[in-house]
Amino acid sequence: MKFMKLGSKPDAFQTDGGGDSRYVLSELPSDIVIHVEEARFYLHKFPLLSKSSLLQRLIIEASQNGTDQVYIHDIPGGVKTFEICAKFCYGMVVTLNAYNVVAARCAAEYLGMTEDVDKSNLVFKIEVFLNSGIFRSWKDSIIALQTTDALLPWSEQLKLAARCIDSIASKATSNPCNVVWSYTYNRKSASSDEIVEARKNSQPVPKDWWVEDLCELDVDLYKRVMVAVKSRGRITSDVVGEALKAYASRWLPECFEAATIDDDAYSMAYKHLLETIVWLLPSDKGSSCCSCRFFLKLLKVTILIGAGEMLKEELMDRVVLQLHKASISDLLIPARPPAPTTYDIQLVLTLVGRYMRRAGVTEDGIFLNNLDQEMFETDVDDESLLALSKIVDGYLAEVASDPNLSVSSFVDLATSMPDAARATHDGLYTAIDVFLKLHPNLPKAEKRKISSLMDVKKLSKEACIHAAQNDRLPLRVVVQVLFFEQLRAAAGGNPAAAAAAMAPNGGIARRLVEEEDDDEDNVGGGGGDWSKSRALPTPTPSLLKKQLGSLKLAVVPGSDEGGVDDGRRLARVSSVANQSSRLSLSSRSRRMFDRLWAGGKPPGGEVVSKSSDTSGSSQSPRSSAKPPASKSSSSSSRNRRYSVS
């Protein structure tokens, strides 16, 4: 920090015990008393008359009135600044620095300590110090600017704030290669054991070297500095975004307490801060000047303090452009009363809907070319849609545990993404499982509605293993999962071939519908709506036997039975032969298979008869079929007994 010493005489000012009275140690008694606010200065007329035009006038007026009392109530800087000016009049040593120079300059102007009264007066000396010291220093300019706020309107009339801002802006927009002054930079790639000073000496100056030092400014001064920096046209939008991000991190808390939100003073301050940051954002909304996480943080604060719809809409427009880059935790924005849910579900629905409309994507995943001219296009590709679908499914799994989340809200959020954008339905299955676990009293129709959102053909092997033994799913979903696993095994592990093999089969689907009412009365399984929308293929008993024997659900020790997110892990058994006896299907699954085998006709023309053993044992019921009379030896290999155990 630069400083300047004025005067040569030792400091002879003294203060009495109470601190309200100040006097000068001198052989001559004081002949004038100057009242500054609550303090009294016992001084001598001659030193003051030789330097200050204002004191000349006031002292003359007091003498004419027969008094030695002079009153000053509105001097900039108050008592401390007047003492600096008084010491200068006596020729005593005065030290000026970035913290007091602006106040001293305003007080000197107020007292009329100009060249018209005396050469090399205080105003002249302070101006020399400002131009040769303060405005040449990066940090001193910032400190001096901070002091101008308490000296209004004098600091504005003397253009001291503007001169500080111009000094700061000129340095911030200079070529980083020319930066030789001290600055603060503790962000980004600095490792925990790395010394910042050593890094400064070994690495070039970064483009955003000036960002952290400006974070100490008041929001109004910061706005003026950023306007000056941007007006010079030398700073890119990404550096401006980095500066705004650093400033928001400095002044916006990560979380809000209820008392803070309800306090009008805090709300107004945060609202003003948010409005300033958003106003300073680059006008090009499509630029990647700030991350989606940063915009979502601003949006969260905007909603919590009720900053207004215009500010909210502006931030939502910017979030939409990068929504596929968001994280699930960033989207967990608390809802304001009277919303019944913990998080603002409607906000996420709105963001996803706007993203899809601006991308020109229909619910079927078809890109449209007839976008509204007022809409700005986004760079949306297949990878972005896939990324957003994972985010939506993850968010859905997080909010599914909310007991106040309605079925309609769950369905709306799940269907906000087109089916083509989901390469896999594992995330959606996780959300469905969590929702069913936390809402055990759902009616059967709503359970079927929730489960129908999932396409078993897009489940991974691990998810299918878990779903096959998930008692919370409707029975028809479990049956469909098992059939698909059988077909996938028959297709050699090729999911595409298995999905193609799952064509509607009238016999099986019709059989399931006929058995629906009786099955639901006995075991509480799924309803006919699912079977009508997703017909099931004909199973092969021998392959199904192998498939059932190859499934095993691994449970993490110490975890609860239930959803995917409650500690369960899905495992594929390495040896089918060794593990086939370990799987125990639920009673309702075996009873459904009994009905299927009793009425179905497997490949080859054999009729499978239903076994009389339909008890809830751990083994599947045995079924046998009597082959028709053999016509030739070539067909004998097909005429054999089928058994499912």
Side-chain angles (χ1 to χ4, degrees), residues 290-302:
C290 297
S291 63
C292 186
R293 181 176 187 178
F294 173 65
F295 289 134
L296 283 170
K297 177 181 178 180
L298 297 181
L299 182 60
K300 176 181 178 180
V301 179
T302 300

Side-chain angles (χ1 to χ4, degrees), residues 283-349:
S283 57
D284 183 12
K285 295 184 179 181
S287 66
S288 57
C289 63
C290 297
S291 63
C292 186
R293 181 176 187 178
F294 173 65
F295 289 134
L296 283 170
K297 177 181 178 180
L298 297 181
L299 182 60
K300 176 181 178 180
V301 179
T302 300
I303 294 174
L304 288 178
I305 66 175
E309 288 299 320
M310 292 184 62
L311 189 60
K312 179 180 176 182
E313 289 294 324
E314 174 69 18
L315 289 171
M316 289 178 66
D317 287 342
R318 292 182 181 271
V319 168
V320 164
L321 296 177
Q322 305 182 56
L323 189 58
H324 58 281
K325 299 179 181 179
S327 66
I328 298 172
S329 59
D330 295 333
L331 290 173
L332 296 175
I333 299 176
R336 285 179 62 87
T341 56
T342 304
Y343 299 108
D344 198 336
I345 310 296
Q346 187 58 45
L347 175 66
V348 177
L349 278 171

